[in-house]
Amino acid sequence: MQSFAYKVRSELCRTPVQRLCCARAEAYGVLLFANTFTPMEIRIITENAEFAARLPRLFQRAFALKFDRLPEEDAGGKLIFGITQREKLERIINQFGYAPRQALALHVNFGLLEDDCCRASFLRGAFLAGGSVTNPEKRYHLELATSHIQASREVSALLTEMGFLPRSVRRGANNVIYFKQSEHIEDFLTTIGAPVSAMDIMTAKVDKEIRNGANRAMNCDMANVNKTLDAAQEQCSAIEKLQRRGALERLPEKLRQTAELRLEHKELTLLQLAERCDPPVSKSCINHRMRKLMELAREDRI
Protein backbone atom coordinates (compact mmCIF):
# COMPACT_ATOMS: atom_id res chain seq x y z
CA MET A 1 0.00 0.00 0.00
CA GLN A 2 1.39 3.40 -0.98
CA SER A 3 2.16 5.82 1.84
CA PHE A 4 0.59 9.26 2.06
CA ALA A 5 4.03 10.81 1.39
CA TYR A 6 4.30 8.72 -1.80
CA LYS A 7 0.91 10.00 -2.95
CA VAL A 8 1.96 13.60 -2.25
CA ARG A 9 5.11 13.17 -4.34
CA SER A 10 3.10 11.62 -7.14
CA GLU A 11 0.72 14.58 -7.15
CA LEU A 12 3.63 17.06 -7.18
CA CYS A 13 5.16 15.26 -10.15
CA ARG A 14 2.06 15.93 -12.21
CA THR A 15 2.97 19.64 -12.22
CA PRO A 16 4.35 20.40 -15.71
CA VAL A 17 8.03 21.32 -16.10
CA GLN A 18 7.60 24.50 -18.17
CA ARG A 19 9.24 27.82 -17.31
CA LEU A 20 13.03 27.74 -17.29
CA CYS A 21 13.33 29.81 -14.10
CA CYS A 22 10.93 27.48 -12.25
CA ALA A 23 12.68 24.37 -13.57
CA ARG A 24 15.99 25.68 -12.24
CA ALA A 25 14.40 26.63 -8.92
CA GLU A 26 12.88 23.17 -8.51
CA ALA A 27 16.18 21.50 -9.44
CA TYR A 28 17.88 23.80 -6.93
CA GLY A 29 15.56 22.55 -4.17
CA VAL A 30 16.14 18.96 -5.24
CA LEU A 31 19.94 19.34 -5.07
CA LEU A 32 20.03 21.14 -1.71
CA PHE A 33 17.89 18.40 -0.14
CA ALA A 34 19.26 15.45 -2.12
CA ASN A 35 21.53 12.72 -0.81
CA THR A 36 24.77 14.20 -2.22
CA PHE A 37 25.61 17.59 -3.75
CA THR A 38 29.34 18.36 -3.86
CA PRO A 39 31.83 19.64 -6.49
CA MET A 40 32.72 15.97 -7.07
CA GLU A 41 29.33 14.28 -7.23
CA ILE A 42 25.58 14.63 -7.37
CA ARG A 43 23.56 11.64 -6.21
CA ILE A 44 19.77 11.56 -5.87
CA ILE A 45 18.03 8.50 -4.48
CA THR A 46 14.27 7.97 -4.51
CA GLU A 47 11.73 5.17 -4.27
CA ASN A 48 9.02 7.13 -6.05
CA ALA A 49 8.63 6.10 -9.69
CA GLU A 50 6.94 9.38 -10.67
CA PHE A 51 9.76 11.45 -9.21
CA ALA A 52 12.27 9.18 -10.95
CA ALA A 53 10.50 9.81 -14.26
CA ARG A 54 10.45 13.56 -13.62
CA LEU A 55 14.14 14.02 -12.77
CA PRO A 56 15.61 13.56 -16.28
CA ARG A 57 13.06 15.98 -17.77
CA LEU A 58 13.69 18.48 -14.99
CA PHE A 59 17.48 18.47 -15.37
CA GLN A 60 17.26 18.58 -19.15
CA ARG A 61 15.04 21.67 -18.92
CA ALA A 62 17.02 23.34 -16.13
CA PHE A 63 20.59 22.65 -17.26
CA ALA A 64 20.35 21.05 -20.73
CA LEU A 65 22.18 17.95 -19.54
CA LYS A 66 21.61 14.29 -18.81
CA PHE A 67 22.49 12.22 -15.78
CA ASP A 68 25.63 10.11 -15.92
CA ARG A 69 23.91 7.39 -13.96
CA LEU A 70 20.31 6.30 -14.32
CA PRO A 71 18.42 3.60 -12.42
CA GLU A 72 18.72 0.15 -13.88
CA GLU A 73 15.67 -1.23 -15.63
CA ASP A 74 13.33 -3.10 -13.29
CA ALA A 75 15.56 -2.04 -10.41
CA GLY A 76 12.66 -1.55 -7.99
CA GLY A 77 13.29 -0.22 -4.50
CA LYS A 78 15.81 2.60 -4.46
CA LEU A 79 16.26 4.42 -7.77
CA ILE A 80 19.64 6.15 -8.04
CA PHE A 81 20.59 9.09 -10.28
CA GLY A 82 24.13 10.44 -10.46
CA ILE A 83 26.35 13.04 -12.09
CA THR A 84 30.13 12.84 -11.81
CA GLN A 85 31.39 14.45 -15.03
CA ARG A 86 33.33 17.56 -14.09
CA GLU A 87 31.96 19.84 -16.80
CA LYS A 88 28.35 18.99 -15.90
CA LEU A 89 28.97 19.60 -12.22
CA GLU A 90 30.62 22.94 -12.98
CA ARG A 91 27.71 23.99 -15.17
CA ILE A 92 25.23 23.28 -12.38
CA ILE A 93 27.35 24.88 -9.66
CA ASN A 94 27.91 28.01 -11.77
CA GLN A 95 24.18 28.22 -12.45
CA PHE A 96 23.53 28.63 -8.73
CA GLY A 97 26.26 31.21 -8.20
CA TYR A 98 28.73 28.98 -6.36
CA ALA A 99 32.44 28.88 -7.10
CA PRO A 100 33.27 25.47 -8.66
CA ARG A 101 36.42 25.05 -6.58
CA GLN A 102 34.91 25.92 -3.22
CA ALA A 103 34.03 23.29 -0.67
CA LEU A 104 30.30 23.72 -0.86
CA ALA A 105 29.13 25.09 2.46
CA LEU A 106 25.89 25.61 0.60
CA HIS A 107 23.74 28.64 1.13
CA VAL A 108 20.54 29.66 -0.69
CA ASN A 109 20.97 32.07 -3.58
CA PHE A 110 17.82 34.13 -3.08
CA GLY A 111 18.44 35.93 -6.35
CA LEU A 112 17.10 32.80 -8.06
CA LEU A 113 13.93 32.84 -5.94
CA GLU A 114 12.56 36.33 -6.40
CA ASP A 115 9.23 35.32 -7.97
CA ASP A 116 6.52 33.46 -6.05
CA CYS A 117 6.36 30.75 -8.74
CA CYS A 118 10.09 30.09 -8.35
CA ARG A 119 9.82 29.93 -4.56
CA ALA A 120 7.01 27.40 -4.82
CA SER A 121 9.04 25.38 -7.34
CA PHE A 122 12.11 25.48 -5.09
CA LEU A 123 10.12 24.20 -2.11
CA ARG A 124 8.53 21.52 -4.30
CA GLY A 125 12.00 20.29 -5.25
CA ALA A 126 13.07 20.34 -1.60
CA PHE A 127 10.09 18.19 -0.62
CA LEU A 128 10.53 15.79 -3.54
CA ALA A 129 14.14 15.14 -2.57
CA GLY A 130 14.19 15.49 1.21
CA GLY A 131 10.63 15.73 2.43
CA SER A 132 8.23 13.45 4.23
CA VAL A 133 4.70 13.77 5.58
CA THR A 134 2.78 11.40 7.82
CA ASN A 135 -0.65 9.96 7.16
CA PRO A 136 -3.09 12.55 8.55
CA GLU A 137 -5.27 9.73 9.87
CA LYS A 138 -2.51 9.13 12.43
CA ARG A 139 -0.96 12.54 13.15
CA TYR A 140 0.16 15.77 11.52
CA HIS A 141 3.86 16.04 10.69
CA LEU A 142 5.72 17.30 7.61
CA GLU A 143 9.47 17.79 7.40
CA LEU A 144 12.31 18.74 5.06
CA ALA A 145 15.72 17.23 5.85
CA THR A 146 19.12 18.24 4.47
CA SER A 147 22.74 17.81 5.51
CA HIS A 148 23.49 21.42 4.51
CA ILE A 149 23.07 23.34 7.76
CA GLN A 150 23.30 26.86 6.38
CA ALA A 151 20.91 26.06 3.55
CA SER A 152 18.43 24.63 6.04
CA ARG A 153 18.54 27.80 8.14
CA GLU A 154 18.00 29.98 5.10
CA VAL A 155 15.12 27.84 3.82
CA SER A 156 13.54 28.16 7.26
CA ALA A 157 13.93 31.95 6.98
CA LEU A 158 12.37 31.82 3.50
CA LEU A 159 9.38 29.88 4.82
CA THR A 160 8.95 32.39 7.64
CA GLU A 161 9.04 35.25 5.14
CA MET A 162 6.32 33.45 3.14
CA GLY A 163 4.06 33.37 6.20
CA PHE A 164 4.76 29.87 7.51
CA LEU A 165 5.87 29.06 11.05
CA PRO A 166 8.51 26.32 10.66
CA ARG A 167 10.43 24.69 13.47
CA SER A 168 13.92 23.22 13.20
CA VAL A 169 15.81 20.43 14.90
CA ARG A 170 19.15 18.72 14.44
CA ARG A 171 18.79 14.97 13.80
CA GLY A 172 22.07 13.10 13.33
CA ALA A 173 23.84 14.55 10.29
CA ASN A 174 20.74 16.36 9.09
CA ASN A 175 19.02 19.60 9.87
CA VAL A 176 15.25 19.13 9.80
CA ILE A 177 12.61 21.79 9.16
CA TYR A 178 9.19 20.62 10.26
CA PHE A 179 5.53 21.51 10.77
CA LYS A 180 3.15 19.86 13.23
CA GLN A 181 -0.01 21.92 12.74
CA SER A 182 -2.44 20.66 10.12
CA GLU A 183 -3.21 24.17 8.81
CA HIS A 184 0.47 24.85 8.09
CA ILE A 185 0.89 21.51 6.34
CA GLU A 186 -2.23 22.14 4.24
CA ASP A 187 -0.98 25.59 3.23
CA PHE A 188 2.50 24.30 2.44
CA LEU A 189 1.23 21.46 0.25
CA THR A 190 -1.13 23.80 -1.57
CA THR A 191 1.71 26.26 -2.19
CA ILE A 192 4.05 23.65 -3.70
CA GLY A 193 1.39 22.14 -5.95
CA ALA A 194 -0.40 19.39 -4.02
CA PRO A 195 -3.90 20.81 -3.31
CA VAL A 196 -5.56 17.38 -3.49
CA SER A 197 -3.30 16.09 -0.72
CA ALA A 198 -3.99 19.25 1.28
CA MET A 199 -7.71 18.55 0.91
CA ASP A 200 -7.12 14.98 2.09
CA ILE A 201 -5.66 16.40 5.30
CA MET A 202 -8.64 18.73 5.74
CA THR A 203 -11.03 15.82 5.19
CA ALA A 204 -9.15 13.61 7.65
CA LYS A 205 -9.26 16.41 10.22
CA VAL A 206 -13.03 16.86 9.81
CA ASP A 207 -13.56 13.09 10.08
CA LYS A 208 -11.51 13.04 13.28
CA GLU A 209 -13.53 15.90 14.74
CA ILE A 210 -16.80 14.16 13.87
CA ARG A 211 -15.60 10.89 15.42
CA ASN A 212 -14.31 12.67 18.51
CA GLY A 213 -17.56 14.60 18.82
CA ALA A 214 -19.58 11.40 18.52
CA ASN A 215 -17.38 9.70 21.12
CA ARG A 216 -17.74 12.65 23.49
CA ALA A 217 -21.51 12.64 23.01
CA MET A 218 -21.67 8.89 23.59
CA ASN A 219 -19.51 9.16 26.70
CA CYS A 220 -21.69 12.00 27.96
CA ASP A 221 -24.84 9.97 27.29
CA MET A 222 -23.38 6.98 29.09
CA ALA A 223 -22.42 9.17 32.04
CA ASN A 224 -25.96 10.55 32.17
CA VAL A 225 -27.44 7.05 31.96
CA ASN A 226 -25.19 5.85 34.76
CA LYS A 227 -26.05 8.91 36.82
CA THR A 228 -29.77 8.26 36.28
CA LEU A 229 -29.44 4.59 37.21
CA ASP A 230 -27.44 5.40 40.34
CA ALA A 231 -30.03 7.97 41.44
CA ALA A 232 -32.89 5.56 40.71
CA GLN A 233 -31.17 2.83 42.74
CA GLU A 234 -30.75 5.19 45.68
CA GLN A 235 -34.41 6.20 45.44
CA CYS A 236 -35.55 2.58 45.29
CA SER A 237 -33.45 1.69 48.33
CA ALA A 238 -35.10 4.47 50.30
CA ILE A 239 -38.61 3.43 49.20
CA GLU A 240 -37.90 -0.24 49.99
CA LYS A 241 -36.76 0.85 53.45
CA LEU A 242 -40.12 2.57 53.95
CA GLN A 243 -41.86 -0.52 52.56
CA ARG A 244 -40.13 -2.82 55.06
CA ARG A 245 -41.31 -0.59 57.90
CA GLY A 246 -44.86 -0.74 56.57
CA ALA A 247 -44.77 3.01 56.06
CA LEU A 248 -45.85 3.18 52.40
CA GLU A 249 -49.53 2.62 53.27
CA ARG A 250 -49.49 5.60 55.64
CA LEU A 251 -48.04 8.01 53.06
CA PRO A 252 -50.16 10.70 51.42
CA GLU A 253 -51.65 9.46 48.13
CA LYS A 254 -49.33 11.50 45.87
CA LEU A 255 -46.19 10.31 47.65
CA ARG A 256 -47.43 6.70 47.65
CA GLN A 257 -48.18 6.90 43.92
CA THR A 258 -44.69 8.24 43.25
CA ALA A 259 -43.08 5.51 45.35
CA GLU A 260 -45.01 2.75 43.60
CA LEU A 261 -44.14 4.16 40.16
CA ARG A 262 -40.45 4.25 41.05
CA LEU A 263 -40.43 0.65 42.25
CA GLU A 264 -42.32 -0.45 39.16
CA HIS A 265 -40.12 1.51 36.70
CA LYS A 266 -36.60 1.56 38.09
CA GLU A 267 -35.03 2.38 34.71
CA LEU A 268 -37.05 5.53 33.96
CA THR A 269 -35.84 9.09 34.39
CA LEU A 270 -37.67 11.50 36.66
CA LEU A 271 -39.19 13.20 33.61
CA GLN A 272 -40.53 9.87 32.35
CA LEU A 273 -41.94 9.09 35.80
CA ALA A 274 -43.59 12.51 35.91
CA GLU A 275 -45.36 11.78 32.63
CA ARG A 276 -46.73 8.48 34.04
CA CYS A 277 -48.32 10.12 37.06
CA ASP A 278 -52.11 10.44 37.09
CA PRO A 279 -52.51 13.25 36.36
CA PRO A 280 -49.06 13.95 34.83
CA VAL A 281 -46.86 16.37 36.79
CA SER A 282 -43.71 18.34 36.13
CA LYS A 283 -40.18 17.03 36.58
CA SER A 284 -39.70 19.54 39.38
CA CYS A 285 -42.75 18.20 41.17
CA ILE A 286 -41.68 14.54 40.92
CA ASN A 287 -38.19 15.50 42.06
CA HIS A 288 -39.63 17.25 45.11
CA ARG A 289 -41.70 14.14 45.97
CA MET A 290 -38.66 11.89 45.57
CA ARG A 291 -36.58 14.05 47.92
CA LYS A 292 -39.41 13.89 50.45
CA LEU A 293 -39.51 10.10 50.27
CA MET A 294 -35.73 9.85 50.78
CA GLU A 295 -35.92 12.29 53.68
CA LEU A 296 -38.62 10.19 55.35
CA ALA A 297 -36.55 7.04 54.89
CA ARG A 298 -33.55 8.69 56.56
CA GLU A 299 -35.49 10.21 59.44
CA ASP A 300 -37.36 7.01 60.30
CA ARG A 301 -40.37 9.02 61.55
CA ILE A 302 -43.13 6.85 60.16
Side-chain angles (χ1 to χ4, degrees):
M1 182 178 177
Q2 292 179 346
S3 68
F4 183 69
Y6 190 101
K7 293 177 182 178
V8 172
R9 280 189 172 82
S10 297
E11 182 182 357
L12 292 174
C13 288
R14 291 194 287 272
T15 303
V17 180
Q18 293 179 334
R19 298 181 62 184
L20 178 60
C21 62
C22 291
R24 286 177 176 167
E26 183 177 327
Y28 194 14
V30 168
L31 290 168
L32 287 179
F33 285 79
N35 303 83
T36 304
F37 181 27
T38 73
M40 303 301 295
E41 180 186 15
I42 287 172
R43 186 167 69 252
I44 304 167
I45 302 174
T46 182
E47 295 182 358
N48 186 287
E50 285 87 346
F51 182 36
R54 183 181 183 82
L55 276 171
R57 301 196 309 271
L58 180 65
F59 274 61
Q60 180 63 41
R61 177 64 174 142
F63 311 116
L65 57 76
K66 297 180 179 180
F67 285 97
D68 299 332
R69 175 180 178 179
L70 293 171
E72 299 177 1
E73 291 186 13
D74 302 323
K78 293 184 177 180
L79 307 171
I80 303 174
F81 295 80
I83 297 176
T84 54
Q85 290 184 27
R86 180 174 175 180
E87 59 273 19
K88 291 182 181 180
L89 291 166
E90 289 188 357
R91 187 189 311 175
I92 293 172
I93 290 170
N94 284 330
Q95 185 65 57
F96 297 135
Y98 303 121
R101 298 292 183 269
Q102 77 179 87
L104 292 184
L106 295 178
H107 61 87
V108 176
N109 184 347
F110 289 101
L112 301 175
L113 307 176
E114 293 181 352
D115 296 333
D116 289 343
C117 60
C118 293
R119 291 184 172 192
S121 297
F122 173 79
L123 294 172
R124 178 167 57 249
F127 182 87
L128 286 170
S132 66
V133 59
T134 59
N135 186 333
E137 293 288 345
K138 298 177 180 178
R139 63 191 180 104
Y140 306 120
H141 184 89
L142 181 147
E143 65 180 44
L144 304 170
T146 176
S147 60
H148 305 294
I149 298 176
Q150 185 59 31
S152 179
R153 290 172 181 166
E154 291 173 349
V155 171
S156 182
L158 173 64
L159 287 165
T160 301
E161 183 181 331
M162 294 173 67
F164 296 102
L165 296 173
R167 299 180 180 179
S168 298
V169 66
R170 184 76 174 169
R171 186 187 299 152
N174 287 330
N175 255 45
V176 179
I177 302 167
Y178 67 94
F179 300 102
K180 282 189 172 296
Q181 292 186 314
S182 61
E183 295 84 358
H184 295 165
I185 297 173
E186 293 161 13
D187 291 345
F188 180 83
L189 292 179
T190 300
T191 296
I192 66 175
V196 175
S197 297
M199 185 61 68
D200 288 343
I201 294 176
M202 296 179 199
T203 302
K205 181 167 59 176
V206 170
D207 289 345
K208 281 183 184 179
E209 290 172 353
I210 291 173
R211 287 197 299 270
N212 290 339
N215 288 337
R216 284 194 296 271
M218 184 175 67
N219 291 338
C220 183
D221 289 344
M222 288 301 299
N224 288 335
V225 168
N226 290 335
K227 184 177 179 181
T228 297
L229 292 175
D230 289 344
Q233 181 60 47
E234 187 178 359
Q235 294 158 6
C236 288
S237 296
I239 294 168
E240 287 168 354
K241 185 176 180 181
L242 291 173
Q243 191 176 46
R244 288 193 297 272
R245 298 206 310 258
L248 285 185
E249 293 76 9
R250 300 195 299 274
L251 292 175
E253 181 181 352
K254 293 179 180 179
L255 283 181
R256 186 173 67 254
Q257 180 192 47
T258 299
E260 290 172 350
L261 277 174
R262 172 45 84 198
L263 290 178
E264 186 179 352
H265 303 287
K266 297 180 180 181
E267 77 286 356
L268 296 186
T269 65
L270 288 181
L271 180 59
Q272 291 168 326
L273 281 181
E275 293 171 347
R276 285 179 175 267
C277 287
D278 185 20
V281 298
S282 67
K283 179 182 176 181
S284 175
C285 178
I286 202 78
N287 188 44
H288 174 75
R289 293 180 186 178
M290 205 64 70
R291 285 202 304 270
K292 184 65 176 176
L293 287 168
M294 296 179 71
E295 181 182 330
L296 292 172
R298 285 193 301 271
E299 293 180 356
D300 196 21
R301 292 185 302 177
I302 59 175

